[in-house]
Amino acid sequence: MNHYAYFVSVGVMLLGVAGIATSRNLVHTVVCLSVAQSGTYVLLIAVGFQYGGVAPIFGGQVGSRTPVVDPVVQALTLTDIVVSAAVTSMLLALVIQIAKRHRAIDPDRLGRLEG
């Protein structure tokens, strides 16, 4: 996997950040945030990857010198996916509420937000 996964993860994150910076629609902004966060999945998986590594289930098939992948990184990736889904759903709910109150999802047309 070499360093390509790191470049891909940085590229995906930068693509999402660029989308956030240039977005004129709140739904598009939330989707771009999800894309940027997807780069972290690739980064975490790249950190935990090991050539020839197997699942760390020790028993008769896996010897003491067999390389294993890091299960903590895989658990962090799954946690990242769950957190991303929760944040995306919460932000989309906020966009719906903003659209109901202000009848606009363009950040420039929202004007001043009131509490």
Side-chain angles (χ1 to χ4, degrees), residues 14-92:
L14 289 177
L15 185 68
V17 169
I20 292 170
T22 60
S23 178
R24 295 285 179 230
N25 185 324
L26 290 177
V27 175
H28 183 260
T29 304
V30 171
V31 170
C32 288
L33 180 65
S34 294
V35 169
Q37 194 166 7
S38 297
T40 61
Y41 309 155
V42 178
L43 178 66
L44 286 173
I45 290 172
V47 167
F49 180 76
Q50 187 171 22
Y51 281 107
V54 297
I57 302 171
F58 295 104
Q61 298 176 351
V62 178
S64 61
R65 294 188 179 255
T66 303
V68 295
V69 295
D70 189 4
V72 174
V73 175
Q74 294 174 357
L76 284 174
T77 304
L78 287 174
T79 304
D80 193 12
I81 291 170
V82 170
V83 169
S84 174
V87 168
T88 300
S89 63
M90 185 189 73
L91 289 176
L92 288 175

